[in-house]
Amino acid sequence: MNKLYVGNLSPSVTVEDLKRLFGERELPVTDQVLLKSGYAFVDFPDQKWAIKAIETLSGRRIQIRNIPPHLQWEVSPIYLYVSLYLSLLRAIEKLTGHSLDNHSFSVSYILDVEGGGGSQAQRVSSRGSRGAREPDSTHPGAMGGLQGPRHGQHELPLRLLVPTQFVGAIIGKEGLTIKNITKKTQSKVDIHRKENAGAAEKPITIHSSPEGCSHACRMILEVMEKEATDTKTAEEVPLKILAHNSLVGRLIGKEGRNLKKIEQDTGTKITISPLQDLTIYNLERTITVRGGVEECCNAEVEIMKKLREAYENDVAALNLQTNLIPGLNLTAGPRGVAPLPTTYNPFMAPEQEVVYLFIPTQAVGALIGKKGQHIKELARFAGASIKIAPSDSPDAPERMVIITGPPEAQFKAQGRIFGKLKEENFFTAKEEVKLETHIKVPAAAAGRVIGKGGKTVNELQNLTSAEVIVPRDQTPDENDEVFVKIIGHFFASQTAQRKIREIIQQVKQQEQKNQQGVATPSQHTK
């Protein structure tokens, strides 16, 4: 498993190009890179890094549109696909807006998933044509939510937390200050004045390019600094950035290395609010940066660079998830985070699924919460039934959590449980949360999950990075079903569950066809 096959390479790619690509993604490779024409084999130190490489780089492509029609490309005059050997983000950054013969390129990424290729929902960048800009978007009725250019659906906004006493100065007389910030930085700025009435701080959301967000952040900091000096109300005005908890770990880095480097490079002091401050309804943590305006602005650039990288990886993974989970609705994301495309149809009654998730026995109290408050909130949030089964014995190391609900509810409930175990330190900072999950499949479908000679189950494990086990010699239950065990981190487990459900569906459809095929001749003979 430590040796990976890398395909779809350009003939011009060199070993150094590959090593540079993996280096940029902080993926350690050994010197053993075997490069052939169009593909390569790359060795990684261990299985963990090999799996990380697959998750980070597999199936990333970009699509370039609006190429001048007289140019003749090898495959098509309209599309050019740049594959794995190019760094996706660097390519998008360098090619977006690039002009050739009065044509301004429009660049977006596509997922290498059948049927998911070039959908509008998966685009990162806005569409361009001959250098023309799209009309400004508006935000009517929101004081401080002012006009700016439209930005990509999946761009991560910059979220700031500012003292309520400075909100008036940021807006300015008749809104002139915020209008000036919006105009100069080409940003859409929302000041959420009505949130948390009476709170000492208010959130601000800035939608723009990374450069636009940073410019707006600088102008807001300068306004607050001036107001603090003029009114003598504060000795120091720190920069506070809000970030979803799921991104913060990757900002901090292994043993805090990323954060320490940003502090050293920018001359700032950075602290992050504790996990205990999180609630089931607010999953944002506060990143506080202390230093001068210039130092804080430099730190903001580096912090957001890390957060955007983590967010873009998550968006790609979740977009893949929506292809794997029919009916999954991911629009209910955290405040300030762009929603993901969905095929959810509210008029269809989604199929109820039952999942058996095993958690450490000592984690049961944290999951239930005081007087059962946490598990009730979790069930309401996910739209699922969540029950903890009685223990088989007093010394049992694990307890079974039974989750009943449609695919969307399963995704939400299981995701929060994985996150809760990490937040409550049942796994160390260096450990990945890996849990065992059981799902039931019809006994007739168990063989299909295994495949001939174990081929299907092996492919499942390679695709999902989860361990999939179909115990042999099981006695089917009263519903003629048997268990399949899945062990892995959250996304690995989710992907494996979806693929197995897909196999079950295929088996059921085949059985229905067979039944119809048997019924048809008998009808003709009547």
Side-chain angles (χ1 to χ4, degrees), residues 156-157 242-253 283 285 287 303-304 306-315 334 337:
L156 180 68
L242 294 172
H244 194 271
N245 183 53
S246 64
L247 308 177
V248 170
R250 284 165 285 182
L251 165 66
I252 296 170
L283 291 172
R285 294 172 73 180
I287 304 159
I303 288 168
M304 289 305 298
K306 289 290 182 186
L307 293 175
R308 286 188 184 101
E309 183 180 332
Y311 177 69
E312 284 157 0
N313 286 338
D314 287 353
V315 166
V337 177

Side-chain angles (χ1 to χ4, degrees), residues 143-429:
M143 188 62 176
L146 290 120
Q147 294 90 312
R150 287 177 183 161
H151 298 286
Q153 184 180 4
H154 298 317
E155 288 177 359
L156 180 68
L158 171 60
R159 296 261 295 161
L160 303 179
L161 198 60
V162 303
T164 302
Q165 68 203 61
F166 295 142
V167 168
I170 295 169
I171 293 172
K173 189 176 181 180
E174 298 180 350
L176 289 177
T177 304
I178 193 68
K179 285 179 183 176
N180 183 47
I181 293 172
T182 300
K183 184 177 179 181
K184 283 191 174 181
T185 65
Q186 289 292 293
S187 303
K188 178 176 178 291
V189 183
D190 290 332
I191 300 178
H192 307 281
R193 292 196 298 167
K194 293 182 180 179
E195 282 192 22
N196 305 325
E201 295 174 309
K202 298 290 183 182
I204 295 178
T205 305
I206 303 169
H207 297 269
S208 185
S209 64
E211 296 77 17
C213 286
S214 295
H215 191 183
C217 175
R218 178 184 291 272
M219 292 185 74
I220 289 169
L221 274 178
E222 288 170 349
V223 169
M224 291 196 296
E225 191 82 15
K226 184 177 185 305
E227 183 71 8
T229 302
D230 291 348
T231 60
K232 297 180 181 178
T233 53
E235 294 181 3
E236 179 192 40
V237 183
L239 168 64
K240 293 189 177 183
I241 299 172
L242 294 172
H244 194 271
N245 183 53
S246 64
L247 308 177
V248 170
R250 284 165 285 182
L251 165 66
I252 296 170
K254 191 175 182 180
E255 298 176 352
R257 290 174 190 168
N258 291 345
L259 216 54
K260 288 174 186 174
K261 187 175 189 307
I262 294 172
E263 286 182 320
Q264 291 169 359
D265 291 347
T266 61
T268 55
K269 177 66 179 173
I270 303 173
T271 55
I272 298 177
S273 60
L275 287 166
Q276 288 81 350
D277 291 353
L278 296 175
T279 69
I280 197 165
Y281 300 109
N282 178 27
L283 291 172
E284 288 181 303
R285 294 172 73 180
T286 305
I287 304 159
T288 303
V289 185
R290 287 184 165 83
V293 170
E294 187 66 31
E295 289 78 10
C296 286
C297 289
N298 291 338
E300 179 273 330
V301 171
E302 298 305 317
I303 288 168
M304 289 305 298
K305 190 184 294 182
K306 289 290 182 186
L307 293 175
R308 286 188 184 101
E309 183 180 332
Y311 177 69
E312 284 157 0
N313 286 338
D314 287 353
V315 166
L318 287 171
N319 275 334
L320 174 60
Q321 200 73 12
T322 61
N323 282 288
L324 294 172
I325 307 180
L328 176 62
N329 179 14
L330 294 173
T331 56
R335 294 170 304 162
V337 177
L340 295 173
T342 175
T343 55
Y344 177 65
N345 184 344
F347 300 106
M348 291 177 62
E351 184 179 348
Q352 297 290 304
E353 299 175 351
V354 181
V355 172
Y356 306 87
L357 182 65
F358 292 83
I359 66 171
T361 298
Q362 63 268 33
V364 170
L367 181 58
I368 294 173
K370 191 175 181 180
K371 296 181 180 178
Q373 191 63 27
H374 183 265
I375 200 167
K376 288 176 185 175
E377 287 181 351
L378 176 55
R380 278 197 299 269
F381 164 79
S385 165
I386 304 172
K387 297 178 181 178
I388 298 177
S391 177
D392 292 336
S393 69
D395 301 325
E398 293 180 319
R399 291 281 292 276
M400 184 168 69
V401 181
I402 305 170
I403 306 169
T404 306
E408 178 189 357
Q410 291 290 349
F411 187 86
K412 289 180 178 179
Q414 292 178 50
R416 285 292 174 89
I417 292 172
F418 272 76
K420 184 69 172 174
L421 296 184
K422 187 71 171 182
E423 291 164 15
E424 297 289 342
N425 299 316
F426 291 106
F427 292 80
T428 66

